[in-house]
Amino acid sequence: MRYFLKIPVTLVLVFFALAVSGQDGAAQPAFVLTILGDKGQPVEAATVEMLQNGKLVKAAITDAKGQAGFEKIEAGSYTFSISSKGYQATVTEVYTFPATGRALTINLQIAGATLKEVSVSAKKPFIQNKQGKVILNVESAVTNVGSTVLEVLEKSPGVMVDRNGGIALQGKTGVLVLIDDKPTYLSGADLNNLLSSMSSSQVEQIELMTNPPAKYDASGNAGIINIKTKKNKARGFNGTLTIAGGQGVYPKNNNSLVLNYRNGRFNTFLTYSMNLSKYLTSIYAYRKYYDKNGPLLSILDQYSYFSGRVFNNTIKLGTDYYVTPKTTIGLVLGGSIIHRKGNSDAIATWMDASQHVDSAIATNSSSDNHFRNGMVNLNLRHSISSKQDLGVDIDWLNYAISSEQYFNNRFQSPGGYNEASQGDIPSSIKILSGKIDYNLRFGKNNSFQAGWKSSHISTDNTAAYENFDGLNWTPDYNKSNHFLYKENIHALYSSIETRRKKISMQLGLRYEFTGYDAHQLGNVQQKDSAFSRNYDGFFPSGYISYELDSSNTLTLTAGRRIDRPAFQKLNPFTFIINKYTYQTGNPFFLPQYSWNFELSHQYKNLLTASVSYSHIKNYFSQLFLTDTAKGILYYSEGNVGRAHTIGVSVMLNVSPFKWWSLTAQAVYNHKDLKGYNGNVNFRSNINQLNINISNQFSFLKVYTGEISGFYTSRARNDLQEVLYPTGQVSLGISRPVLKKKGTLKFSARDIFFTNAMEGLTQFDRATEYFILWRDSRVFNLSFTYRFGKAYKAAKRSSGSAGDEMQRVGNG
């Protein structure tokens, strides 16, 4: 806890002074509402919301006397919305302050009946474009049924996922991924495994933010992807059960349960999901080796087939307690257990420059991976006054990740050999973080935010490899490794937002300090080593928006961001992919910094067009190193130079007919990469295009259909690797059943089986063509049932403030 004692004294004094200034002592409330039942009895724990022009100003909960008080009410006209379990929701007439008296009594009527159905008649579009973000309403797309979160992201506008699990947004790599405004602390393969085993039925929305405000971490060169899971706040007890089954080459199964109970001062929720699926990955690689003068020396033709099973159980349980009308405390517990077990078969054929076969090596391998994590969140929300709010969050997370590998290589020729190796790769990650957020509203259209955040991360990673000599297993000290890492990040931020007639703007500044210590323990063949680093920086962000008229708006956004290397990518240990391909970390990996600018024009909610520019220093890229003597290629990551990206995007939301709505987005980027790898200078540029189209149809009164797809042209995320065009087309249909309490959905994803990952990698004195196929053509059928009784109540502000942050590495 000593990391949280480093809160800047000045900020503490500011918060203390604001809290003191917001206290009202023994002063009486400016206005008191007394809520009575049908027989004149006080109604305790009723929700009273104060509204101005339909917008929530503040809320209160009645006490044992049925009273709710409101203080320091600004001059103006207001209505009050009252809701309580068992009573009809009531909205008062308009009251004008300060002329109105100090008290008002409201009598509620017994509710004639609860809602017979827990259903929503208005359907949200799949894609919405709001200030600073693109919102994906996951359930609105029928083709998302039975899919994972990673599969939803792959077909999302402007999002790309590469073969190593890296995510790019609007053509730029380096994305901060949050779940419910909380950090995942994962990247690379670990993040890929989490998202690929997480059912989309758990998710309500996905937010894509290319220029987040200052309250979010500065991490993420390309921006933030925020995955928001379902959480029902309707009064009473209610829930949703979803069962989904799919069939590709192998079967898939995704199930989820969402429960909620809200009564009086308590709101309790539980979400559980279970995913059991078989998977496959087929990889073909054609590698050419050259001598230093250019002629072709040899060829390696390699085919690999991976298959296995993944079983995921995820649970989240939380409760909110409304202590007083001004104070809410919350507790959230959660965790996941993911087991991924698989086998692979590969054949590597060596040929000379004339493609005559020289030799072949067959490889059988197996892997057994376990991913376990637990989390605890404590939060407090307090309304200091009608204009001031304070939020506090404390988070604890723990990850236990283990991987057991086995390889058996057989040289297939007379006098051949067998060689076997195995690896045990456990790692643990522990995170403790805390934050304070303060919000002040002043004037008619002004707000000020400020906050502090600190986090402490410690990781312990071991890689223990052994070789089989025919009789015994002996340690392989050249590949074995034990890596310890500790990191502290401290941040302060402030921002101001204002609106003046046709101009609205937000300006923010965030300061972050990072310090880490890394220690690689030695063994009998490798020396002990350690390295440390401290760095800090200021990260401004903001936007200015001008309404040309009632239909047209221009917006300029700008921001500076940082990407820190994933923890385990600083670890110089070796991870075996196959006999001729290794992956290794880089202890000299530095952060990359970017400036992002965007000018956009929005015409109503119909058309949005934008032009963007991004400049990245210390650009992250894969590094490909060659050991020509052994024929081994090493994959690593590091800083290679600079990158410039110019982009143009257009988004269209239109309904050609009442029964047809169309959302389409096209993103064009010109990327210019300049850098070096060892003694070799590289420069590459590319023009790439991403097109995403979603068609939603309503027909025969009860049916909803969808045809959607995406296309990505040639693309480049790394200095030495180009990706070839890819895409997919999906379709789906749904209809309500059981008097609209249930929904049946059917979808066919990637119906033409075109969503492959294909490309060409250039190494020092080598090239590799590759193509990767997955079990992407899947037919899914799902059933969703909504149950329970939700009482009619006015819409309530969530009152929650987000916590942002991410990073952990990939071994």
Side-chain angles (χ1 to χ4, degrees):
M1 295 296 293
R2 64 181 184 276
Y3 304 100
F4 301 106
L5 299 179
K6 300 180 180 180
I7 306 174
V9 175
T10 302
L11 189 60
V12 174
L13 294 176
V14 169
F15 284 138
F16 179 79
L18 290 169
V20 171
S21 67
Q23 300 301 315
D24 298 309
Q28 294 298 315
F31 190 69
V32 176
L33 281 87
T34 302
I35 311 302
L36 304 178
D38 60 314
K39 297 180 180 180
Q41 76 278 18
V43 177
E44 184 180 4
T47 300
V48 182
E49 296 180 327
M50 183 177 179
L51 307 173
Q52 188 175 46
N53 297 323
K55 192 173 183 180
L56 180 68
V57 177
K58 62 188 305 183
I61 296 176
T62 57
D63 57 20
K65 297 180 181 179
Q67 294 183 342
F70 293 88
E71 304 156 347
K72 298 182 179 179
I73 301 175
E74 292 185 352
S77 298
Y78 302 88
T79 59
F80 295 89
S81 173
I82 303 100
S83 59
S84 180
K85 182 179 179 181
Y87 293 95
Q88 293 181 6
T90 300
V91 178
T92 69
E93 61 186 53
V94 176
Y95 289 85
T96 303
F97 292 86
T100 306
R102 295 176 57 88
L104 176 66
T105 300
I106 301 292
N107 291 89
L108 301 181
Q109 300 297 317
I110 292 291
T114 57
L115 295 180
K116 294 182 180 179
E117 304 160 359
V118 185
S119 61
V120 179
S121 58
K123 182 178 177 62
K124 295 180 180 179
F126 174 51
I127 302 174
Q128 292 176 292
N129 198 345
K130 295 187 177 180
Q131 178 64 54
K133 66 179 71 172
V134 174
I135 298 175
L136 310 178
N137 296 298
V138 176
E139 276 199 339
S140 296
V142 183
T143 55
N144 288 334
V145 59
S147 62
T148 67
V149 172
L150 188 66
E151 289 166 341
V152 174
L153 286 175
E154 283 180 326
K155 68 170 194 171
S156 299
V159 179
M160 288 178 55
V161 180
D162 65 24
R163 59 171 171 161
N164 300 307
I167 300 174
L169 181 60
Q170 302 287 57
K172 296 178 290 185
T173 57
V175 178
L176 178 67
V177 177
L178 309 176
I179 298 178
D180 290 328
D181 294 320
K182 302 288 182 183
T184 64
Y185 294 99
L186 299 173
S187 66
D190 290 333
L191 178 60
N192 186 284
N193 290 338
L194 176 65
L195 298 181
S196 63
S197 60
M198 184 177 178
S199 172
S200 64
S201 62
Q202 298 173 250
V203 179
E204 181 177 1
Q205 291 182 335
I206 297 177
E207 297 177 336
L208 311 177
M209 294 178 276
T210 55
N211 188 38
K215 74 172 185 177
Y216 289 97
D217 269 16
S219 195
N221 153 62
I224 287 176
I225 295 177
N226 187 20
I227 301 165
K228 306 187 77 170
T229 59
K230 294 176 180 176
K231 182 179 179 183
N232 193 344
K233 288 197 171 185
R235 288 187 173 276
F237 173 75
N238 49 82
T240 303
L241 173 67
T242 300
I243 300 173
Q247 183 67 48
V249 176
Y250 295 123
K252 329 281 181 187
N253 178 244
N254 289 306
N255 308 304
S256 68
L257 176 66
V258 179
L259 298 176
N260 182 80
Y261 178 71
R262 182 177 178 186
N263 186 21
R265 296 178 181 268
F266 283 94
N267 181 67
T268 302
F269 67 91
L270 180 145
T271 61
Y272 169 75
S273 70
M274 187 274 286
N275 174 5
L276 177 60
S277 302
K278 292 193 69 176
Y279 66 88
L280 72 85
T281 303
S282 174
I283 304 175
Y284 174 72
Y286 189 77
R287 192 179 297 172
K288 295 181 178 180
Y289 296 87
Y290 301 88
D291 72 11
K292 60 182 179 181
N293 297 317
L296 179 65
L297 289 177
S298 58
I299 298 171
L300 177 63
D301 185 279
Q302 187 169 353
Y303 174 76
S304 304
Y305 184 88
F306 301 82
S307 64
R309 189 190 76 162
V310 58
F311 185 38
N312 171 31
N313 288 273
T314 298
I315 190 169
K316 179 182 285 187
L317 172 67
T319 185
D320 297 318
Y321 175 60
Y322 305 96
V323 182
T324 71
K326 289 186 173 185
T327 305
T328 304
I329 59 174
L331 171 67
V332 182
L333 307 174
S336 297
I337 299 176
I338 304 173
H339 183 206
R340 185 183 294 265
K341 187 173 184 178
N343 300 280
S344 71
D345 296 293
I347 183 74
T349 304
W350 284 99
M351 296 178 284
D352 60 21
S354 300
Q355 297 189 341
H356 297 132
V357 175
D358 175 75
S359 59
I361 295 178
T363 300
N364 303 107
S365 66
S366 63
S367 62
D368 192 357
N369 302 314
H370 292 266
F371 177 102
R372 294 177 291 273
N373 84 302
M375 61 82 66
V376 178
N377 167 257
L378 291 171
N379 60 80
L380 168 70
R381 303 292 177 261
H382 177 65
S383 177
I384 301 172
S385 69
S386 61
K387 295 183 178 181
Q388 300 179 76
D389 301 304
L390 190 68
V392 179
D393 280 270
I394 297 175
D395 291 276
W396 173 86
L397 288 91
N398 184 67
Y399 290 91
I401 305 170
S402 64
S403 175
E404 296 179 359
Q405 300 177 326
Y406 173 79
F407 297 92
N408 182 33
N409 301 306
R410 303 183 308 279
F411 187 68
Q412 297 183 324
S413 66
Y417 60 82
N418 274 11
E419 61 179 18
S421 63
Q422 64 183 14
D424 183 14
I425 311 174
S427 64
S428 67
I429 305 167
K430 297 179 180 180
I431 303 106
L432 184 63
S433 68
K435 63 175 293 191
I436 297 174
D437 294 298
Y438 169 75
N439 185 46
L440 170 66
R441 296 171 295 280
F442 59 97
K444 290 185 177 180
N445 298 296
N446 307 305
S447 65
F448 170 78
Q449 288 184 323
W452 155 85
K453 181 178 180 180
S454 285
S455 61
H456 171 68
I457 303 100
S458 62
T459 71
D460 188 335
N461 309 275
T462 301
Y465 285 101
E466 294 180 320
N467 295 322
F468 189 65
D469 60 9
L471 296 174
N472 301 297
W473 289 98
T474 59
D476 186 344
Y477 292 111
N478 286 324
K479 300 186 183 72
S480 297
N481 174 278
H482 189 185
F483 183 69
L484 303 175
Y485 181 90
K486 292 182 178 181
E487 180 182 85
N488 296 296
I489 300 176
H490 305 289
L492 288 170
Y493 80 87
S494 65
S495 67
I496 188 168
E497 189 169 10
T498 185
R499 180 180 177 85
R500 295 288 185 272
K501 295 182 179 180
K502 293 186 176 184
I503 298 177
S504 60
M505 62 186 298
Q506 182 189 73
L507 297 174
L509 182 64
R510 188 177 183 94
Y511 169 79
E512 292 189 352
F513 170 85
T514 304
Y516 67 77
D517 297 293
H519 185 193
Q520 180 181 328
L521 280 66
N523 55 43
V524 296
Q525 293 186 15
Q526 299 192 51
K527 293 182 179 180
D528 186 278
S529 63
F531 53 93
S532 301
R533 182 174 175 81
N534 296 321
Y535 55 91
D536 62 356
F538 288 93
F539 301 94
S541 63
Y543 73 85
I544 181 169
S545 184
Y546 179 70
E547 293 183 6
L548 299 173
D549 52 41
S550 60
S551 301
N552 295 275
T553 303
L554 284 175
T555 303
L556 175 66
T557 63
R560 183 176 188 252
R561 303 191 64 77
I562 183 176
D563 272 320
R564 300 176 181 86
F567 307 141
Q568 287 143 306
K569 290 181 180 178
L570 294 167
N571 181 4
F573 90 110
T574 299
F575 182 85
I576 300 175
I577 299 176
N578 56 49
K579 180 175 175 63
Y580 298 106
T581 310
Y582 294 173
Q583 187 174 12
T584 183
N586 179 5
F588 305 106
F589 212 169
L590 301 176
Q592 71 174 7
Y593 297 89
S594 65
W595 275 102
N596 301 310
F597 303 90
E598 182 180 81
L599 176 64
S600 65
H601 169 254
Q602 184 169 353
Y603 174 70
K604 297 182 177 180
N605 290 320
L606 179 68
L607 181 67
T608 302
S610 65
V611 179
S612 63
Y613 171 75
S614 174
H615 172 256
I616 304 174
K617 180 182 178 182
N618 291 338
Y619 182 68
F620 284 1
S621 178
Q622 291 191 81
L623 303 176
F624 305 100
L625 310 173
T626 311
D627 184 342
T628 52
K630 298 180 180 179
I632 296 176
L633 294 181
Y634 291 89
Y635 287 76
S636 186
E637 287 193 47
N639 310 100
V640 297
R642 298 175 181 267
H644 302 266
T645 303
I646 299 173
V648 178
S649 70
V650 178
M651 177 180 284
L652 176 68
N653 287 291
V654 65
S655 293
F657 303 97
K658 290 183 178 180
W659 50 269
W660 176 20
S661 63
L662 167 68
T663 301
Q665 185 185 46
V667 179
Y668 164 82
N669 284 291
H670 173 79
K671 302 176 73 172
D672 188 19
L673 310 179
K674 301 177 183 178
Y676 56 92
N677 181 3
N679 296 321
V680 181
N681 291 320
F682 288 90
R683 178 168 183 174
S684 60
N685 56 67
I686 197 165
N687 298 308
Q688 61 189 57
L689 177 67
N690 175 266
I691 299 174
N692 185 285
I693 299 176
S694 176
N695 296 275
Q696 305 283 332
F697 307 98
S698 298
F699 55 98
L700 298 178
K701 294 184 179 180
V702 296
Y703 288 93
T704 299
E706 178 190 344
I707 300 176
S708 63
F710 72 88
Y711 168 79
T712 301
S713 68
R714 285 170 58 95
R716 184 184 293 274
N717 292 330
D718 294 294
L719 189 66
Q720 297 170 251
E721 184 173 279
V722 62
L723 303 175
Y724 294 161
T726 186
Q728 69 170 236
V729 175
S730 303
L731 57 85
I733 187 172
S734 72
R735 66 154 295 163
V737 295
L738 301 177
K739 297 181 180 180
K740 297 185 179 180
K741 290 184 178 180
T743 304
L744 279 175
K745 295 182 179 180
F746 172 80
S747 71
R749 189 171 65 251
D750 192 16
I751 57 178
F752 300 115
F753 200 45
T754 53
N755 190 22
M757 296 183 185
E758 185 180 13
L760 181 69
T761 307
Q762 293 179 310
F763 304 88
D764 180 24
R765 295 164 58 186
T767 62
E768 180 181 85
Y769 163 80
F770 65 86
I771 185 168
L772 181 151
W773 296 95
R774 296 170 301 160
D775 195 4
S776 59
R777 181 163 55 192
V778 180
F779 300 90
N780 288 291
L781 180 65
S782 80
F783 171 70
T784 298
Y785 181 70
R786 293 170 290 278
F787 56 90
K789 295 181 179 180
Y791 293 89
K792 291 182 179 180
K795 184 178 179 182
R796 178 178 177 83
S797 171
S798 65
S800 62
D803 185 11
E804 317 77 31
M805 195 174 121
Q806 177 198 342
R807 269 175 64 245
V808 155
N810 157 35

